[in-house]
Structures are given as C-alpha cells and as structure tokens.
Amino acid sequence: MRAIVVERLGPPEVLEVREVPVPQPGPGEVRLKVETVGINFADVLAVAGEYLTRTRVPYTPGMEFAGTVDALGEGVRGVQVGQKVTSLGGRGGLAEYAVSPAAALIPVPEHFTAAQAAAFPVSYFTAYHGLKTLGHGQEGEWVLVQAAAGALGTASIQLAKALGMNVVAMASTEEKLEIARQLGADVTLLQDDPDRVQKVREAAGGKGVPLILEVVGGKRFQESLDMAANRGRIIVIGNASREQANMRPVELMKRNLTVTGLWLTSLMGDQEATRDAARALTSLVGSGRVTPQVGPTYPLAESARAFQDLLDRKTTGKVIIEP
Ligand code: NDP
C-alpha cells in the first residue's frame, strides 16, 4: 500500500510517499481502509521534532482519520467490518490502511461527510475540554478564541455559542475574521490590532475576559494575561508561535489568575472526562448545532504541501488529506 513515511525529522518536505506492507491489527485493534485524514498542528510539530513527546522515526504520521473498518484484531467486540468510523488515537493515518485501538473509535454521525468525520475528534474534544472540563465556562460568560478560523478555533466558536457563551475571536486576516463572524463570534479583532488588549477588555464590559483559550504562546502569552479579567482562567492549549513565553508567577497573584494546561492525549486517559465530553458533543452534533469546518483537501502525494500550508497560516478549518 501507499503511505507517507518520515525517515528524518524536519520541515514538511521530509514527508515522502513509499510502498509499505499493509499493517495488521493487534489484539484489541481494528484496521481501517482510510478515506480521510485530519491534519493537526501537532502533526507538523511532531514531524519537526518539536512536539510534547519525542517522535521516533521512521514513522507514518496521522493521528485522526476516518474510513471503513476492514479487519478486526483478536478480542474486538461491538465493531463490525464495513462500519464507518473515525479514530481519535490511532496511528499511521497517512496511508491507504491504518490501525486503531477499537476503544479509540467514534461512530460517524450519518449526516457527516467523510471529510467532516476526520475533522471532528481532535478539534471538538479539545474545544470542549478547554471550554468546559478545564475552563468551566458558563452561559453568558465571555471567552477569547485565538487562531479563530483554524480547526480548533472554528470548533471552539461553534461550541462556545452552542453553550450560550459570548465570543471574542482573534485571527491574522480579515478573511479569517469573516469566517469567525459567520460562525457566530460576537466581537472580532485582528491579531495585530495595535489596541487589541484594550479592545478585548472593553468587549467584555471593560473588565477583561474570564476565559481564554491560549494557542499562540510566546510573547502573546503575556498579552493573554493582560486581556484576562480578575480571577480569569487561561487554558494553555498550544504554542503555534513556537516561541518561549516569559511568565512571572507573581503576575498571576496580582489578579488571582489561573493558568491551566490542556493536552488532549493525556485527557483521553480520563474516562469520566472523555465520557462527559462525548455525551455533550453527541447531543450538540445530533441537534445540528455543531458542523466540523472542512478546510483545503489534498491527495496523499501532496501531504508535504498540506503540512507547509498549515505551517504558513494559509489554511482555515481542518486540513484534510485523502489517501
Ligand atoms: P489551526 O488550523 O488552528 O492552524 C494553526 C493556526 O495557528 C494558524 O492558522 C494561525 O492562525 C495560528 N498561528 C498563530 N501564530 C502562528 C505562527 N507564528 N505560526 C503559525 N501559525 C500561527 O491548527 P490546529 O487547530 O491544529 O491547532 C491550533 C492550536 O491548538 C495549535 O497551537 C495546536 O498545537 C493546538 N492544539 C492543541 C491540542 C492539545 O491537546 N493541547 C489539540 C489541538 C490543537 P492565524 O493566522 O489566524 O493566527
């Protein structure tokens, strides 16, 4: 079968298409005929060797993919060959076939396209955990969503609005802000607006925002502290700037701020949090209030271009690759 293989870590150009053996599902695993793969910023960082965990090469990227169950490993129950599923926590998705733990499969809502199925798990579970599980967002509260037209950003706006929250959305271009407005953002601001700190504080009644989903990091992190309301909660979800932030803990004391880290991979091990998120998301998806925003779609052979476009901030919604 054809698969992307990374033999050395580096920029997206290290992604190469190779012929490799079809993987066999181990005990408790299933094999999928992959239709669509959702590409996350984490994939770009992992290939660059800059992710939270060490990337071992050679490997095939792709942690989020949708398709049809094609073979069952030993001991798998409750999953049928031929079933349409999406996987959160599988491996090697950028290939014609990939394996996933059966426990990591999520049934695909009937009205989702294959691309929407692959665009769903990472962004929506992360957004839910940021807004609710760790962020404790309440109806009527303001939340700041950065990189608002991206995969996580669009998911966060949709979920926040569906949960009755008010959204300040930030992004780098007017076109991206228009996407945020169409999804219901109440206030939109360019990331480089010279008065952004003051404008965010004013949007939330002059007091600053009580909840911030922080994905840019670097020197922008200090700004997030400045934009937060007293007793504000800043959920650190990403570091898209790839820069180090300087934070003096006394800054937190002055206004009773809380900074909480969120990593979906480790939260997936929390069965109660995962079950609660799944229940809430299933209900919102069923009510039609949550529709994954599909971005540009590329064939497997153009995976390097897909990764580069994501890195260059050229994409909106979830980047999809079709093996
Ligand atoms: P996106 O589709 O949001 O794409 C990344 C976006 O980051 C860009 O479009 C860009 O939006 C923004 N960005 C801001 N500064 C930079 C910069 N210096 N270089 C490049 N991009 C920049 O990707 P994802 O939805 O996959 O991820 C968004 C963020 O959330 C990432 O930081 C990612 O690591 C994090 N994340 C973390 C998870 C976790 O478990 N902790 C799970 C999922 C995502 P703009 O041009 O508008 O600024």
Side-chain angles (χ1 to χ4, degrees):
M1 68 165 189
R2 291 161 67 250
I4 293 293
V5 177
V6 173
E7 285 187 345
R8 66 184 167 87
L9 301 179
E13 68 206 37
V14 300
L15 301 180
E16 285 185 15
V17 181
R18 293 276 165 82
E19 275 298 323
V20 300
V22 173
Q24 297 306 317
E29 293 183 334
V30 303
R31 184 172 66 211
L32 266 66
K33 170 91 181 76
V34 181
E35 263 185 86
T36 45
V37 187
I39 303 303
N40 294 284
F41 204 75
D43 292 305
V44 176
L45 294 178
V47 167
E50 294 178 22
Y51 196 46
L52 283 178
T53 50
R54 186 165 152 221
T55 311
R56 290 171 199 280
V57 289
Y59 93 113
T60 294
M63 62 178 85
E64 178 181 47
F65 47 90
T68 310
V69 176
D70 155 80
L72 305 179
E74 205 185 308
V76 172
R77 306 263 178 278
V79 183
Q80 316 296 325
V81 169
Q83 197 179 335
K84 294 261 182 211
V85 291
T86 185
S87 170
L88 168 60
R91 58 183 189 273
L94 281 174
E96 290 176 83
Y97 294 87
V99 293
S100 165
L105 298 179
I106 301 172
V108 176
E110 271 182 18
H111 63 285
F112 275 14
T113 62
Q116 286 172 331
F120 181 68
V122 169
S123 301
Y124 283 84
F125 275 83
T126 304
Y128 185 85
H129 288 314
L131 291 165
K132 291 300 283 184
T133 315
L134 300 176
H136 307 294
Q138 300 298 319
E139 209 176 325
E141 254 192 339
W142 283 88
V143 57
L144 172 64
V145 175
Q146 301 173 331
L152 179 64
T154 51
S156 301
I157 295 173
Q158 280 189 355
L159 279 184
K161 292 311 296 176
L163 295 165
M165 301 177 71
N166 303 314
V167 175
V168 187
M170 294 184 82
S172 60
T173 67
E174 269 302 336
E175 292 73 25
K176 290 184 176 185
L177 292 183
E178 181 53 30
I179 291 171
R181 282 191 287 273
Q182 279 171 15
L183 292 173
D186 300 276
V187 174
T188 55
L189 271 177
L190 284 173
Q191 194 190 269
D192 286 328
D193 186 312
D195 301 319
R196 55 192 177 271
V197 172
Q198 189 192 339
K199 285 183 179 172
V200 169
R201 293 190 68 81
E202 277 168 8
K207 295 179 179 166
V209 277
L211 179 60
I212 297 180
L213 305 185
E214 164 60 60
V215 301
V216 179
K219 56 183 182 298
R220 298 274 175 175
F221 181 77
Q222 178 61 47
E223 282 186 15
S224 288
L225 299 185
D226 296 340
M227 289 168 179
N230 289 352
R231 299 177 73 167
R233 292 102 62 204
I234 296 117
I235 313 297
V236 175
I237 306 181
N239 190 47
S241 67
R242 300 158 93 184
E243 295 167 357
Q244 287 299 321
N246 284 323
M247 185 187 83
R248 296 187 319 124
V250 286
E251 293 288 321
L252 305 179
M253 289 164 56
K254 276 197 264 176
R255 288 188 296 119
N256 301 102
L257 301 176
T258 302
V259 178
T260 304
L262 187 170
W263 189 31
L264 182 62
T265 305
S266 70
L267 267 175
M268 274 156 39
D270 181 331
Q271 290 186 359
E272 194 183 336
T274 302
R275 207 174 36 239
D276 288 350
R279 198 179 295 127
L281 288 171
T282 302
S283 150
L284 290 167
V285 165
S287 71
R289 298 174 80 184
V290 159
T291 312
Q293 300 298 294
V294 173
T297 302
Y298 306 77
L300 191 71
E302 290 183 27
S303 296
R305 188 162 67 88
F307 276 51
Q308 191 65 53
D309 287 350
L310 181 57
L311 191 56
D312 291 343
R313 306 162 79 161
K314 288 183 181 161
T315 66
T316 59
K318 178 80 76 174
V319 173
I320 298 291
I321 293 178
E322 293 176 335

